[in-house]
Amino acid sequence: MKRIIIKFSLFTLPLMLVLVGVNYYGDAANIFRTGYELKMAKIISGGNYVTNIGNYDERVFQKEIIEQMIQSPNTVVLGASRSLFLNSEILGEKDVFNNSVSGASLEDIIAIYEIYKSNNILPEKIILDIEPYYFNINHGQTRWKSIKSYYFKFKKHEESSAVLDDKFKELFSLSYFQSSILNVSNVLFSKSKLEATKVKNNIMMTKLTDGTLAYDKAYREASKTEIDKKVESSLSGNLYSIEKFDEIDKITLNDFKNLIHEMQKNKITVEFFFCPYHPKTYNRIKDSYPMVLKTENLIKQIAIDNNIKFYGSYSPFEMELDDTFFYDAYHCKEIGIKRITINRLNRESMF
């Protein structure tokens, strides 16, 4: 028996070392390499865009960039990637900073708000991108945990202890291994070295000085055929974070209301933004995901009850947007976002 255990150990130990080694050095999401997000923040706070960005922790970047700010922006945008184009030009306002992150959950929004509050630079206005899956307890989003201490600070809870910190679990993750092994060569040969630039559109993704994003060349210049294929691929499986959306989670809804109350108590003007889905995506939502539309109606009613301006809709048809206004099944192009927001300041609400 002892010999079997020794043989098993001799076989598994090298595999475990490879798994841990690749996850640590490949580090697809930069969760073990500290300072990457700070370098990005310093480039941007110095007045340059930053490109050639590899995978990074978007939440940690928000913390780093806010801590670089000398004074608060007039307007801050909080939300998911579907609101990453909201900037001064599109909103028709001066001094807008966009702190939206991919796959945002309400925990992200609360945490980033709390980072501003902790640094005593709360803005005059906050625009909240309202994603329906915020209120789906089964949305599966966990990336907010990178800045979870700020979320718990807002909630006035002590952070629950864990035997093993979330990020270190990734050392032994097979799924993280699949992503990280592709990044090993980039790390070894410095292919993902950050570059400061004054050019907005580059081959690689570029983060701009107002927090917004310029997509990589392949994504922003995709042909209609390529976009159609992406849409069909997305619709062939589960829709993003709205599966098992059977009811609006009461705890999340209460957290949302508390956040709004907190903002208004601090004399912050609040606005809600609803980004449309691709027409084919919306048709499927309308047929199979009724809670999405119920969420939109509920949050708009909350806006009315609290004297909050709102604009946009999950329906592209309501916004008069066809499939040419979309990059994929979920993300609207800048021209579509601008169509939604261009007349917002002259209306109390827009359906």
Side-chain angles (χ1 to χ4, degrees):
M1 182 68 177
K2 184 177 180 181
R3 184 174 294 178
I4 294 174
I5 294 174
I6 292 173
K7 285 184 177 180
F8 180 76
S9 297
L10 290 173
F11 175 75
T12 57
L13 184 59
L15 294 178
M16 187 63 68
L17 290 173
V18 170
L19 176 68
V20 172
V22 169
N23 284 348
Y24 183 80
Y25 288 103
D27 197 13
N30 282 295
I31 60 177
F32 301 112
R33 287 192 296 278
T34 59
Y36 190 89
E37 295 80 10
L38 179 57
K39 289 178 183 177
M40 290 178 59
K42 285 186 174 180
I43 290 172
I44 287 174
S45 62
N48 289 300
Y49 304 149
V50 57
T51 192
N52 204 35
I53 302 170
N55 290 326
Y56 70 105
D57 191 319
E58 295 180 61
R59 280 79 180 160
V60 172
F61 169 75
Q62 303 308 323
K63 173 182 176 295
E64 299 290 8
I65 194 65
I66 292 170
E67 290 180 349
Q68 292 291 315
M69 294 178 180
I70 298 173
Q71 61 184 26
S72 63
N74 180 72
T75 299
V76 162
V77 180
L78 299 178
S81 60
R82 298 192 329 129
S83 62
L84 265 170
F85 290 136
L86 290 174
N87 59 17
S88 292
E89 180 185 354
I90 285 178
L91 292 168
E93 296 186 14
K94 294 181 179 179
D95 194 20
V96 176
F97 197 89
N98 194 311
N99 292 100
S100 297
V101 295
S102 301
S105 60
L106 187 63
E107 291 91 345
D108 281 305
I109 290 173
I110 288 172
I112 296 170
Y113 169 80
E114 187 63 35
I115 294 172
Y116 271 105
K117 184 180 175 184
S118 297
N119 284 275
N120 297 312
I121 51 171
L122 286 173
E124 294 182 13
K125 178 187 291 186
I126 292 179
I127 298 174
L128 293 178
D129 164 41
I130 308 297
E131 297 297 331
Y133 66 79
Y134 294 166
F135 306 95
N136 177 17
I137 198 171
N138 298 307
H139 60 55
Q141 299 293 339
T142 61
R143 284 176 279 182
W144 64 273
K145 292 182 179 179
S146 295
I147 49 175
K148 60 184 177 182
S149 62
Y150 291 96
Y151 168 75
F152 288 114
K153 184 178 180 181
F154 179 88
K155 294 269 288 182
K156 297 179 174 61
H157 289 172
E158 286 297 322
E159 191 174 330
S160 57
S161 59
V163 176
L164 192 62
D165 190 271
D166 291 321
K167 77 173 185 177
F168 289 106
K169 292 178 183 178
E170 298 295 347
L171 284 173
F172 305 95
S173 168
L174 289 174
S175 61
Y176 198 61
F177 175 85
Q178 292 174 333
S179 301
S180 295
I181 196 170
L182 300 174
N183 199 45
V184 170
S185 63
N186 289 337
V187 174
L188 292 176
F189 300 105
S190 299
K191 292 181 180 179
S192 59
K193 185 177 180 180
L194 297 173
E195 294 180 9
T197 180
K198 294 290 187 181
V199 178
K200 176 181 177 180
N201 293 316
N202 297 282
I203 294 175
M204 300 294 288
M205 180 177 67
T206 304
K207 198 72 173 172
L208 308 183
T209 50
D210 61 2
T212 57
L213 189 70
Y215 285 122
D216 61 271
K217 183 177 181 180
Y219 190 83
R220 68 177 183 269
E221 295 183 4
S223 67
K224 187 178 185 306
T225 300
E226 291 171 323
I227 293 172
D228 288 344
K229 285 181 180 179
K230 284 192 286 187
V231 171
E232 292 303 324
S233 177
S234 295
L235 296 181
S236 66
N238 293 338
L239 292 191
Y240 190 78
S241 288
I242 58 173
E243 297 298 328
K244 299 180 182 178
F245 193 5
D246 302 320
E247 62 179 357
I248 294 172
D249 181 55
K250 293 180 181 178
I251 294 176
T252 305
L253 182 61
N254 187 60
D255 285 348
F256 178 77
K257 290 179 178 179
N258 287 340
L259 176 63
I260 301 307
H261 176 72
E262 159 86 9
M263 290 176 175
Q264 293 185 323
K265 184 180 72 174
N266 285 314
K267 311 299 183 184
I268 297 171
T269 300
V270 181
E271 294 181 0
F272 294 165
F273 169 72
F274 296 82
C275 186
Y277 287 93
H278 186 283
K280 288 186 177 180
T281 308
Y282 182 77
N283 283 335
R284 182 170 169 191
I285 286 172
K286 188 172 61 174
D287 292 341
S288 305
Y289 301 86
M291 291 310 301
V292 170
L293 306 187
K294 288 182 180 179
T295 298
E296 180 176 355
N297 291 333
L298 173 63
I299 302 304
K300 286 184 174 179
Q301 186 58 53
I302 289 174
I304 293 169
D305 294 341
N306 290 274
N307 196 29
I308 293 172
K309 289 184 180 181
F310 60 91
Y311 37 95
S313 170
Y314 298 144
S315 169
F317 309 110
E318 218 165 284
M319 297 294 102
E320 299 181 350
L321 304 178
D322 60 24
D323 59 356
T324 64
F325 285 88
F326 291 85
Y327 283 114
D328 56 29
Y330 302 99
H331 295 90
C332 189
K333 293 180 178 179
E334 296 97 314
I335 189 172
I337 301 295
K338 192 166 187 177
R339 175 175 288 194
I340 296 167
T341 61
I342 196 166
N343 295 318
R344 75 187 234 287
L345 295 177
N346 298 322
R347 302 182 184 185
E348 285 299 317
S349 61
M350 184 174 184
F351 288 84

